[in-house]
Amino acid sequence: MKYISTRGQAPSLSFEDVVLTGLASDGGLYVPESLPKFSQSEIASWAGLSYQELAFKVMHPFVSEALSDDELKQLIEKSYASFRHPAIAPLVQTDHNEWVLELFQGPTLAFKDFALQFLGNLLDHILKKRDQKVVVMGATSGDTGSAAIEGCRHCDNLDIFILHPHQRVSEVQRRQMTTVLEDNVYNIALEGNFDDCQNMVKASFADQSFLPEGRQLVAVNSINFARIMAQIVYYFYAALALGGPARAVSFSVPTGNFGDIFAGYLAKQMGLPIEQLIVATNQNDILHRCISANDHSKQSLVHSLSPSMDIMVSSNFERLLFDLYGRNGRAIAELMEQFKSGSMTLSEQAMAKLTEGFASYRLDDDETVAVIAEVWDTCEYLLDPHTAIGVRAARKKRANASTPMVCLATAHPAKFPEAVAKACEGIDSPALPHHMADLFEREERYQVLAHDTQAVQSFIANNL
Ligand SMILES: Cc1ncc(COP(=O)(O)O)c(C=O)c1O
Ligand SMILES: N[C@@H](CCOP(=O)(O)O)C(=O)O
Protein backbone atom coordinates (compact mmCIF):
# COMPACT_ATOMS: atom_id res chain seq x y z
CA MET A 1 0.00 0.00 0.00
CA LYS A 2 1.18 3.52 -0.82
CA TYR A 3 0.61 6.57 1.34
CA ILE A 4 0.00 10.06 -0.06
CA SER A 5 0.06 13.55 1.45
CA THR A 6 -3.13 15.52 2.11
CA ARG A 7 -1.53 18.52 0.38
CA GLY A 8 -0.65 16.67 -2.79
CA GLN A 9 2.94 17.89 -3.25
CA ALA A 10 5.05 15.37 -1.29
CA PRO A 11 6.27 12.05 -2.68
CA SER A 12 4.14 9.01 -1.93
CA LEU A 13 5.74 6.62 0.56
CA SER A 14 5.66 3.01 1.71
CA PHE A 15 4.25 2.11 5.14
CA GLU A 16 7.71 1.79 6.68
CA ASP A 17 8.76 5.22 5.42
CA VAL A 18 5.50 6.77 6.58
CA VAL A 19 6.12 5.42 10.08
CA LEU A 20 9.55 7.08 10.13
CA THR A 21 8.61 10.32 8.36
CA GLY A 22 5.90 12.03 10.44
CA LEU A 23 4.85 15.17 8.60
CA ALA A 24 4.96 15.13 4.80
CA SER A 25 7.48 17.49 3.20
CA ASP A 26 4.64 19.74 1.92
CA GLY A 27 3.32 20.15 5.48
CA GLY A 28 0.48 17.67 4.95
CA LEU A 29 -0.34 14.39 6.67
CA TYR A 30 0.02 10.96 5.14
CA VAL A 31 -3.08 8.85 4.38
CA PRO A 32 -3.45 5.57 2.48
CA GLU A 33 -3.79 6.09 -1.27
CA SER A 34 -6.82 3.79 -1.13
CA LEU A 35 -8.42 2.18 1.88
CA PRO A 36 -8.79 -1.57 2.35
CA LYS A 37 -12.48 -2.56 2.20
CA PHE A 38 -13.99 -5.55 3.98
CA SER A 39 -17.27 -7.22 2.95
CA GLN A 40 -20.05 -7.76 5.49
CA SER A 41 -19.53 -11.52 5.33
CA GLU A 42 -15.80 -11.14 5.97
CA ILE A 43 -16.42 -8.89 8.97
CA ALA A 44 -19.11 -11.28 10.25
CA SER A 45 -16.62 -14.15 10.08
CA TRP A 46 -14.47 -12.31 12.67
CA ALA A 47 -17.07 -12.60 15.45
CA GLY A 48 -15.49 -14.24 18.49
CA LEU A 49 -11.88 -13.46 17.57
CA SER A 50 -9.65 -12.25 20.37
CA TYR A 51 -8.59 -8.59 20.28
CA GLN A 52 -5.15 -9.63 19.04
CA GLU A 53 -6.55 -11.85 16.27
CA LEU A 54 -8.86 -9.09 15.12
CA ALA A 55 -6.02 -6.56 15.18
CA PHE A 56 -4.14 -8.77 12.75
CA LYS A 57 -7.10 -8.90 10.34
CA VAL A 58 -7.70 -5.15 10.41
CA MET A 59 -4.08 -3.96 10.27
CA HIS A 60 -2.69 -6.53 7.84
CA PRO A 61 -3.70 -4.74 4.60
CA PHE A 62 -2.03 -1.52 5.78
CA VAL A 63 1.32 -3.12 6.56
CA SER A 64 1.54 -6.24 4.44
CA GLU A 65 4.54 -5.09 2.38
CA ALA A 66 6.53 -4.04 5.46
CA LEU A 67 6.02 -7.00 7.80
CA SER A 68 5.59 -10.73 7.35
CA ASP A 69 2.45 -12.26 8.87
CA ASP A 70 4.52 -13.72 11.69
CA GLU A 71 6.26 -10.44 12.41
CA LEU A 72 2.94 -8.59 12.58
CA LYS A 73 1.42 -11.26 14.84
CA GLN A 74 4.40 -11.10 17.20
CA LEU A 75 4.29 -7.30 17.39
CA ILE A 76 0.58 -7.43 18.18
CA GLU A 77 1.00 -10.10 20.88
CA LYS A 78 3.80 -8.15 22.54
CA SER A 79 1.88 -4.85 22.37
CA TYR A 80 -1.23 -6.05 24.20
CA ALA A 81 0.52 -8.39 26.69
CA SER A 82 0.79 -5.61 29.28
CA PHE A 83 -2.94 -4.80 29.31
CA ARG A 84 -4.64 -5.47 32.63
CA HIS A 85 -7.88 -6.98 31.26
CA PRO A 86 -8.00 -10.17 29.18
CA ALA A 87 -10.58 -8.63 26.84
CA ILE A 88 -8.10 -5.74 26.21
CA ALA A 89 -11.04 -3.40 25.48
CA PRO A 90 -13.96 -4.51 27.69
CA LEU A 91 -17.46 -3.08 27.27
CA VAL A 92 -19.43 -1.98 30.35
CA GLN A 93 -23.12 -1.16 30.12
CA THR A 94 -24.10 2.19 31.65
CA ASP A 95 -27.70 2.54 30.45
CA HIS A 96 -30.28 0.98 28.16
CA ASN A 97 -28.41 0.21 24.94
CA GLU A 98 -25.48 2.39 26.05
CA TRP A 99 -21.96 1.08 26.74
CA VAL A 100 -18.59 2.49 27.58
CA LEU A 101 -15.66 0.86 25.84
CA GLU A 102 -12.87 0.82 28.43
CA LEU A 103 -9.80 1.84 26.51
CA PHE A 104 -7.78 2.50 29.66
CA GLN A 105 -6.64 -1.00 30.54
CA GLY A 106 -3.14 -0.45 29.14
CA PRO A 107 -0.01 0.41 31.12
CA THR A 108 -0.55 4.20 31.23
CA LEU A 109 -4.33 4.14 31.74
CA ALA A 110 -5.43 5.90 28.54
CA PHE A 111 -6.53 4.88 25.04
CA LYS A 112 -3.15 6.03 23.72
CA ASP A 113 -1.63 2.72 24.84
CA PHE A 114 -3.48 0.88 22.07
CA ALA A 115 -1.46 2.61 19.40
CA LEU A 116 1.69 3.55 21.28
CA GLN A 117 2.52 0.12 22.64
CA PHE A 118 2.28 -1.08 19.05
CA LEU A 119 4.19 1.87 17.59
CA GLY A 120 7.01 1.48 20.14
CA ASN A 121 7.44 -2.18 19.22
CA LEU A 122 7.15 -1.41 15.52
CA LEU A 123 9.83 1.29 15.71
CA ASP A 124 12.11 -1.03 17.63
CA HIS A 125 11.63 -3.67 14.92
CA ILE A 126 12.20 -1.32 11.97
CA LEU A 127 15.17 0.52 13.51
CA LYS A 128 16.96 -2.67 14.50
CA LYS A 129 16.45 -4.06 11.01
CA ARG A 130 17.81 -0.88 9.44
CA ASP A 131 20.47 -0.42 12.12
CA GLN A 132 19.33 3.20 12.37
CA LYS A 133 19.11 5.64 15.31
CA VAL A 134 16.37 8.29 15.41
CA VAL A 135 15.04 11.07 17.61
CA VAL A 136 11.41 10.82 18.66
CA MET A 137 9.77 14.18 19.28
CA GLY A 138 6.20 14.54 20.48
CA ALA A 139 3.72 16.97 22.00
CA THR A 140 1.27 15.99 24.68
CA SER A 141 -1.67 17.44 26.54
CA GLY A 142 -1.11 14.68 29.06
CA ASP A 143 -1.74 11.16 27.79
CA THR A 144 0.21 10.70 24.56
CA GLY A 145 3.41 11.60 26.42
CA SER A 146 3.32 8.85 29.01
CA ALA A 147 2.04 6.26 26.53
CA ALA A 148 4.79 7.16 24.04
CA ILE A 149 7.47 7.05 26.73
CA GLU A 150 6.18 3.70 27.96
CA GLY A 151 6.14 2.37 24.39
CA CYS A 152 9.64 3.66 23.55
CA ARG A 153 11.66 3.57 26.77
CA HIS A 154 13.12 0.15 26.00
CA CYS A 155 14.12 0.93 22.39
CA ASP A 156 17.92 1.15 22.12
CA ASN A 157 17.81 2.94 18.78
CA LEU A 158 16.02 6.08 19.79
CA ASP A 159 15.94 9.03 22.16
CA ILE A 160 12.53 10.41 23.02
CA PHE A 161 11.74 14.07 23.79
CA ILE A 162 8.21 14.91 24.94
CA LEU A 163 6.89 18.45 25.31
CA HIS A 164 4.00 19.03 27.71
CA PRO A 165 2.39 22.35 28.63
CA HIS A 166 3.88 23.39 31.98
CA GLN A 167 1.33 23.13 34.82
CA ARG A 168 -1.53 22.26 32.48
CA VAL A 169 -1.54 18.48 32.82
CA SER A 170 -2.79 16.62 35.88
CA GLU A 171 -0.22 15.68 38.53
CA VAL A 172 -0.70 11.97 37.80
CA GLN A 173 -0.15 12.60 34.09
CA ARG A 174 3.01 14.63 34.74
CA ARG A 175 4.45 12.07 37.12
CA GLN A 176 3.72 9.24 34.71
CA MET A 177 6.09 10.95 32.29
CA THR A 178 8.67 12.53 34.52
CA THR A 179 9.36 9.56 36.79
CA VAL A 180 10.68 7.50 33.89
CA LEU A 181 14.41 7.94 34.35
CA GLU A 182 15.86 5.92 31.48
CA ASP A 183 18.79 7.65 29.76
CA ASN A 184 16.95 7.96 26.45
CA VAL A 185 13.85 9.71 27.90
CA TYR A 186 13.58 13.53 28.14
CA ASN A 187 10.60 15.55 29.35
CA ILE A 188 10.25 19.23 28.53
CA ALA A 189 7.66 21.32 30.38
CA LEU A 190 7.02 24.15 27.94
CA GLU A 191 5.82 27.55 29.12
CA GLY A 192 2.77 27.53 26.86
CA ASN A 193 -0.26 25.45 25.98
CA PHE A 194 -0.67 22.23 24.00
CA ASP A 195 -1.05 24.06 20.68
CA ASP A 196 2.31 25.75 21.33
CA CYS A 197 3.89 22.34 21.96
CA GLN A 198 2.32 20.88 18.83
CA ASN A 199 3.35 23.87 16.69
CA MET A 200 6.91 23.54 17.91
CA VAL A 201 6.98 19.85 17.09
CA LYS A 202 5.59 20.49 13.59
CA ALA A 203 8.09 23.31 12.98
CA SER A 204 10.91 20.99 14.04
CA PHE A 205 9.75 18.30 11.63
CA ALA A 206 9.66 20.88 8.82
CA ASP A 207 13.27 21.95 9.46
CA GLN A 208 15.43 19.28 11.10
CA SER A 209 18.74 21.08 10.58
CA PHE A 210 19.21 21.37 14.38
CA LEU A 211 19.84 17.61 14.57
CA PRO A 212 23.30 16.10 14.21
CA GLU A 213 24.18 14.64 10.82
CA GLY A 214 22.46 11.32 10.13
CA ARG A 215 19.65 11.71 12.66
CA GLN A 216 15.98 12.27 11.79
CA LEU A 217 12.82 12.99 13.75
CA VAL A 218 10.09 10.38 14.16
CA ALA A 219 6.57 11.25 15.29
CA VAL A 220 4.61 9.57 18.04
CA ASN A 221 1.65 11.92 17.77
CA SER A 222 -1.27 10.95 15.61
CA ILE A 223 0.32 12.71 12.64
CA ASN A 224 1.99 9.29 12.38
CA PHE A 225 -0.53 7.17 10.45
CA ALA A 226 0.46 4.01 12.33
CA ARG A 227 -1.24 5.56 15.38
CA ILE A 228 -4.54 5.91 13.57
CA MET A 229 -4.28 2.45 12.03
CA ALA A 230 -3.99 0.74 15.43
CA GLN A 231 -6.97 2.71 16.75
CA ILE A 232 -9.28 1.47 13.97
CA VAL A 233 -9.25 -2.00 15.50
CA TYR A 234 -11.33 -1.25 18.60
CA TYR A 235 -14.23 0.11 16.54
CA PHE A 236 -14.49 -3.30 14.85
CA TYR A 237 -14.03 -5.06 18.19
CA ALA A 238 -16.85 -3.15 19.93
CA ALA A 239 -19.22 -3.43 16.97
CA LEU A 240 -18.67 -7.19 16.66
CA ALA A 241 -19.34 -7.62 20.38
CA LEU A 242 -22.66 -5.81 20.02
CA GLY A 243 -24.06 -7.71 17.03
CA GLY A 244 -22.24 -6.03 14.15
CA PRO A 245 -22.00 -6.08 11.24
CA ALA A 246 -25.60 -7.38 11.02
CA ARG A 247 -26.56 -4.48 13.26
CA ALA A 248 -25.20 -0.93 12.99
CA VAL A 249 -23.56 0.62 16.05
CA SER A 250 -22.97 4.29 16.98
CA PHE A 251 -19.95 5.82 18.69
CA SER A 252 -19.49 8.91 20.80
CA VAL A 253 -15.88 10.05 20.99
CA PRO A 254 -14.29 12.62 23.34
CA THR A 255 -12.32 14.63 20.83
CA GLY A 256 -9.24 16.85 20.78
CA ASN A 257 -6.72 16.21 18.02
CA PHE A 258 -9.38 14.31 15.99
CA GLY A 259 -7.25 11.14 15.76
CA ASP A 260 -9.53 8.81 17.64
CA ILE A 261 -12.74 9.72 15.84
CA PHE A 262 -10.90 9.77 12.52
CA ALA A 263 -10.04 6.11 13.16
CA GLY A 264 -13.80 5.49 13.57
CA TYR A 265 -14.50 7.29 10.31
CA LEU A 266 -11.96 5.04 8.57
CA ALA A 267 -13.55 1.92 10.11
CA LYS A 268 -16.82 3.03 8.53
CA GLN A 269 -15.18 3.64 5.14
CA MET A 270 -13.65 0.15 5.39
CA GLY A 271 -17.10 -1.42 5.62
CA LEU A 272 -18.10 -1.41 9.30
CA PRO A 273 -21.78 -0.39 9.65
CA ILE A 274 -21.62 2.69 11.88
CA GLU A 275 -24.79 4.75 12.22
CA GLN A 276 -23.53 7.82 14.07
CA LEU A 277 -20.13 9.26 14.90
CA ILE A 278 -20.48 11.93 17.58
CA VAL A 279 -17.70 14.45 18.15
CA ALA A 280 -17.76 15.38 21.84
CA THR A 281 -15.75 18.43 22.90
CA ASN A 282 -15.06 20.48 26.01
CA GLN A 283 -15.04 24.32 26.04
CA ASN A 284 -12.23 24.23 23.47
CA ASP A 285 -14.92 23.59 20.93
CA ILE A 286 -13.59 24.54 17.51
CA LEU A 287 -14.71 21.20 16.05
CA HIS A 288 -18.22 21.51 17.48
CA ARG A 289 -18.48 25.07 16.13
CA CYS A 290 -17.26 23.91 12.75
CA ILE A 291 -19.73 21.02 12.50
CA SER A 292 -22.69 22.96 13.85
CA ALA A 293 -22.08 26.41 12.31
CA ASN A 294 -19.18 26.26 9.81
CA ASP A 295 -17.17 28.33 12.31
CA HIS A 296 -13.64 26.97 12.31
CA SER A 297 -11.97 29.90 14.05
CA LYS A 298 -9.26 29.74 16.69
CA GLN A 299 -10.11 31.12 20.12
CA SER A 300 -7.94 31.29 23.24
CA LEU A 301 -7.37 27.89 24.79
CA VAL A 302 -9.18 27.43 28.08
CA HIS A 303 -7.73 25.23 30.83
CA SER A 304 -10.50 22.73 31.58
CA LEU A 305 -11.20 19.78 33.86
CA SER A 306 -10.55 17.57 30.83
CA PRO A 307 -7.03 18.86 30.08
CA SER A 308 -6.12 16.23 27.49
CA MET A 309 -8.72 17.78 25.21
CA ASP A 310 -7.50 21.36 25.64
CA ILE A 311 -6.61 21.60 21.97
CA MET A 312 -7.61 24.21 19.42
CA VAL A 313 -5.78 23.08 16.29
CA SER A 314 -6.85 19.48 15.68
CA SER A 315 -4.20 17.97 13.43
CA ASN A 316 -6.20 15.10 12.03
CA PHE A 317 -9.11 17.22 10.89
CA GLU A 318 -6.96 17.87 7.84
CA ARG A 319 -7.14 14.16 6.99
CA LEU A 320 -10.94 14.33 7.01
CA LEU A 321 -10.97 17.56 5.01
CA PHE A 322 -8.89 15.82 2.36
CA ASP A 323 -11.78 13.37 1.85
CA LEU A 324 -14.47 16.05 2.12
CA TYR A 325 -12.74 17.97 -0.70
CA GLY A 326 -12.59 14.96 -3.00
CA ARG A 327 -8.94 14.23 -2.10
CA ASN A 328 -7.84 17.44 -3.78
CA GLY A 329 -4.45 18.25 -2.22
CA ARG A 330 -4.30 21.73 -3.72
CA ALA A 331 -7.65 22.68 -2.14
CA ILE A 332 -6.40 21.45 1.25
CA ALA A 333 -3.15 23.39 0.93
CA GLU A 334 -5.18 26.56 0.22
CA LEU A 335 -7.54 25.90 3.10
CA MET A 336 -4.65 25.37 5.51
CA GLU A 337 -3.05 28.57 4.26
CA GLN A 338 -6.34 30.36 5.00
CA PHE A 339 -6.40 28.83 8.49
CA LYS A 340 -3.00 30.39 9.29
CA SER A 341 -4.89 33.69 9.64
CA GLY A 342 -6.97 32.12 12.44
CA SER A 343 -10.03 30.75 10.72
CA MET A 344 -11.28 28.90 7.68
CA THR A 345 -14.67 28.50 6.06
CA LEU A 346 -15.62 25.20 4.50
CA SER A 347 -17.38 24.99 1.14
CA GLU A 348 -21.10 24.17 1.10
CA GLN A 349 -20.37 20.75 -0.36
CA ALA A 350 -17.77 19.95 2.28
CA MET A 351 -20.14 21.09 5.04
CA ALA A 352 -22.91 18.88 3.66
CA LYS A 353 -20.63 15.84 3.78
CA LEU A 354 -19.31 16.80 7.22
CA THR A 355 -22.75 17.09 8.79
CA GLU A 356 -23.91 13.91 7.10
CA GLY A 357 -21.01 12.02 8.67
CA PHE A 358 -20.74 13.60 12.11
CA ALA A 359 -22.89 14.98 14.91
CA SER A 360 -21.34 17.09 17.66
CA TYR A 361 -21.89 18.38 21.18
CA ARG A 362 -19.92 20.65 23.51
CA LEU A 363 -19.78 20.65 27.32
CA ASP A 364 -18.35 22.99 29.91
CA ASP A 365 -16.78 21.88 33.21
CA ASP A 366 -20.04 22.12 35.18
CA GLU A 367 -21.82 19.80 32.80
CA THR A 368 -18.83 17.43 32.81
CA VAL A 369 -18.94 17.22 36.61
CA ALA A 370 -22.73 16.75 36.49
CA VAL A 371 -22.52 13.75 34.21
CA ILE A 372 -19.80 12.07 36.30
CA ALA A 373 -22.14 12.45 39.30
CA GLU A 374 -25.19 11.27 37.33
CA VAL A 375 -23.52 8.06 36.14
CA TRP A 376 -22.06 7.41 39.59
CA ASP A 377 -25.51 7.86 41.17
CA THR A 378 -27.31 5.63 38.68
CA CYS A 379 -24.86 2.75 38.33
CA GLU A 380 -21.90 3.38 40.66
CA TYR A 381 -19.61 3.57 37.67
CA LEU A 382 -16.91 6.24 37.79
CA LEU A 383 -16.19 8.11 34.56
CA ASP A 384 -13.08 10.15 33.93
CA PRO A 385 -13.88 13.72 32.77
CA HIS A 386 -13.03 13.03 29.12
CA THR A 387 -15.24 9.96 28.99
CA ALA A 388 -17.99 11.91 30.73
CA ILE A 389 -17.98 14.37 27.83
CA GLY A 390 -18.54 11.51 25.42
CA VAL A 391 -21.35 10.05 27.51
CA ARG A 392 -23.23 13.36 27.74
CA ALA A 393 -22.80 13.97 24.01
CA ALA A 394 -24.16 10.49 23.29
CA ARG A 395 -27.23 11.13 25.43
CA LYS A 396 -27.88 14.51 23.83
CA LYS A 397 -27.24 13.69 20.18
CA ARG A 398 -28.34 10.08 19.85
CA ALA A 399 -30.53 9.66 16.77
CA ASN A 400 -31.94 6.20 17.40
CA ALA A 401 -32.54 4.51 20.75
CA SER A 402 -32.50 1.03 19.23
CA THR A 403 -28.95 1.37 17.88
CA PRO A 404 -26.30 0.43 20.45
CA MET A 405 -24.32 3.50 21.51
CA VAL A 406 -20.69 3.00 22.43
CA CYS A 407 -18.96 5.82 24.34
CA LEU A 408 -15.21 5.56 24.17
CA ALA A 409 -13.75 5.62 27.71
CA THR A 410 -10.47 7.25 26.88
CA ALA A 411 -8.85 7.45 30.32
CA HIS A 412 -9.01 5.96 33.81
CA PRO A 413 -10.61 8.25 36.43
CA ALA A 414 -7.58 7.87 38.72
CA LYS A 415 -5.67 10.15 36.34
CA PHE A 416 -8.04 13.04 37.14
CA PRO A 417 -8.88 12.98 40.87
CA GLU A 418 -9.74 16.71 40.86
CA ALA A 419 -12.74 16.28 38.56
CA VAL A 420 -13.87 13.15 40.34
CA ALA A 421 -13.71 14.88 43.74
CA LYS A 422 -15.82 17.76 42.41
CA ALA A 423 -18.43 15.36 41.07
CA CYS A 424 -18.68 12.82 43.84
CA GLU A 425 -18.17 14.37 47.25
CA GLY A 426 -17.47 11.85 49.93
CA ILE A 427 -16.28 8.98 47.77
CA ASP A 428 -12.68 7.88 47.97
CA SER A 429 -10.40 9.05 45.18
CA PRO A 430 -10.11 6.23 42.63
CA ALA A 431 -6.97 4.21 43.38
CA LEU A 432 -4.12 3.96 40.93
CA PRO A 433 -3.55 0.39 39.76
CA HIS A 434 -0.97 -1.69 41.59
CA HIS A 435 1.91 -1.03 39.18
CA MET A 436 1.59 2.71 39.82
CA ALA A 437 0.80 2.62 43.52
CA ASP A 438 4.07 4.40 44.50
CA LEU A 439 3.88 7.02 41.72
CA PHE A 440 3.87 9.92 44.17
CA GLU A 441 7.05 8.72 45.88
CA ARG A 442 9.08 8.31 42.70
CA GLU A 443 11.83 10.76 41.71
CA GLU A 444 10.92 13.17 38.89
CA ARG A 445 13.15 14.58 36.17
CA TYR A 446 12.10 17.26 33.67
CA GLN A 447 13.24 20.54 32.21
CA VAL A 448 11.10 23.67 32.17
CA LEU A 449 11.78 25.66 28.99
CA ALA A 450 10.51 28.96 27.61
CA HIS A 451 8.22 29.04 24.59
CA ASP A 452 11.19 29.39 22.29
CA THR A 453 11.80 26.95 19.45
CA GLN A 454 15.55 27.53 19.47
CA ALA A 455 15.81 26.79 23.19
CA VAL A 456 13.90 23.54 22.74
CA GLN A 457 15.91 22.48 19.71
CA SER A 458 19.21 23.27 21.46
CA PHE A 459 18.09 21.22 24.46
CA ILE A 460 17.44 18.28 22.15
CA ALA A 461 20.68 18.65 20.19
CA ASN A 462 22.73 18.99 23.39
CA ASN A 463 21.31 15.82 24.84
CA LEU A 464 21.98 13.53 21.90
C1 LIG B 1 -8.16 11.09 27.71
C2 LIG B 1 -8.30 11.65 26.35
N1 LIG B 1 -9.52 11.69 25.80
C3 LIG B 1 -9.70 12.18 24.56
C4 LIG B 1 -8.67 12.69 23.82
C5 LIG B 1 -8.94 13.21 22.45
O1 LIG B 1 -8.50 12.28 21.48
P1 LIG B 1 -8.05 12.79 20.05
O2 LIG B 1 -6.92 13.73 20.27
O3 LIG B 1 -7.64 11.58 19.33
O4 LIG B 1 -9.22 13.47 19.47
C6 LIG B 1 -7.38 12.69 24.37
C7 LIG B 1 -6.20 13.24 23.67
O5 LIG B 1 -5.91 12.98 22.60
C8 LIG B 1 -7.19 12.12 25.63
O6 LIG B 1 -5.97 12.03 26.16
N1 LIG C 1 -4.67 14.45 24.00
C1 LIG C 1 -3.40 14.17 23.44
C2 LIG C 1 -2.93 15.24 22.50
C3 LIG C 1 -2.03 14.71 21.45
O1 LIG C 1 -2.77 13.95 20.58
P1 LIG C 1 -2.19 12.88 19.58
O2 LIG C 1 -3.24 11.84 19.50
O3 LIG C 1 -1.95 13.57 18.31
O4 LIG C 1 -0.92 12.34 20.14
C4 LIG C 1 -2.45 13.89 24.58
O5 LIG C 1 -2.89 13.35 25.56
O6 LIG C 1 -1.28 14.19 24.51
Side-chain angles (χ1 to χ4, degrees), residues 111-112 141 143 254-260 308-309 311 386 410-411:
F111 76 101
K112 308 287 179 175
S141 53
D143 291 319
T255 297
N257 230 358
F258 205 76
D260 210 5
S308 304
M309 283 158 52
I311 298 175
H386 306 80
T410 49

Side-chain angles (χ1 to χ4, degrees), residues 112 139-145 194 198 220-222 227 257 308 311:
K112 308 287 179 175
T140 188
S141 53
D143 291 319
T144 293
F194 171 76
Q198 182 157 256
V220 281
N221 283 107
S222 51
R227 282 273 316 272
N257 230 358
S308 304
I311 298 175

Side-chain angles (χ1 to χ4, degrees), residues 411-425:
H412 191 292
K415 289 187 110 167
F416 306 98
E418 191 197 341
V420 171
K422 282 203 165 119
C424 310
E425 268 173 47

Side-chain angles (χ1 to χ4, degrees), residues 201-423:
V201 169
K202 286 186 174 172
S204 302
F205 270 83
D207 179 2
Q208 303 188 16
S209 56
F210 66 99
L211 292 175
E213 184 80 19
R215 292 288 187 98
Q216 72 178 69
L217 290 182
V218 167
V220 281
N221 283 107
S222 51
I223 57 176
N224 191 327
F225 187 79
R227 282 273 316 272
I228 306 288
M229 174 189 76
Q231 290 174 214
I232 297 171
V233 177
Y234 46 71
Y235 286 90
F236 279 89
Y237 189 66
L240 280 161
L242 294 171
R247 188 187 192 202
V249 173
S250 293
F251 290 91
S252 180
V253 186
T255 297
N257 230 358
F258 205 76
D260 210 5
I261 195 153
F262 185 70
Y265 164 82
L266 292 186
K268 188 172 177 179
Q269 307 306 308
M270 289 161 70
L272 186 68
I274 295 181
E275 188 175 289
Q276 273 188 294
L277 283 169
I278 301 173
V279 174
T281 79
N282 66 18
Q283 301 92 305
N284 300 298
D285 60 354
I286 187 167
L287 292 169
H288 168 64
R289 284 186 283 112
C290 182
I291 294 167
S292 56
N294 198 359
D295 170 14
H296 194 277
S297 59
K298 283 187 217 168
Q299 294 178 349
S300 307
L301 260 186
V302 180
H303 185 43
S304 77
L305 279 179
S306 43
S308 304
M309 283 158 52
D310 292 345
I311 298 175
M312 194 58 65
V313 180
S314 302
S315 289
N316 287 286
F317 197 51
E318 177 168 344
R319 285 187 162 122
L320 178 69
L321 290 173
F322 184 56
D323 279 5
L324 300 183
Y325 280 79
R327 307 204 119 205
N328 177 345
R330 186 169 301 207
I332 299 306
E334 279 168 18
L335 209 54
M336 289 301 140
E337 195 53 40
Q338 192 192 120
F339 188 45
K340 278 190 188 154
S341 68
S343 88
M344 62 185 170
T345 306
L346 305 198
S347 69
E348 241 175 74
Q349 259 184 331
M351 271 310 287
K353 289 189 206 164
L354 178 63
T355 49
E356 194 188 306
F358 297 87
S360 71
Y361 189 72
R362 172 248 201 229
L363 273 72
D364 62 18
D365 280 349
D366 288 345
E367 208 180 348
T368 304
V369 165
V371 74
I372 296 175
E374 180 181 307
V375 173
W376 176 255
D377 287 347
T378 51
C379 50
E380 286 203 15
Y381 186 79
L382 204 50
L383 301 174
D384 103 289
H386 306 80
T387 308
I389 288 173
V391 170
R392 175 68 100 217
R395 292 178 179 182
K396 288 284 184 186
K397 300 305 287 189
R398 181 172 199 159
N400 184 349
S402 62
T403 302
M405 173 63 74
V406 179
C407 307
L408 301 198
T410 49
H412 191 292
K415 289 187 110 167
F416 306 98
E418 191 197 341
V420 171
K422 282 203 165 119

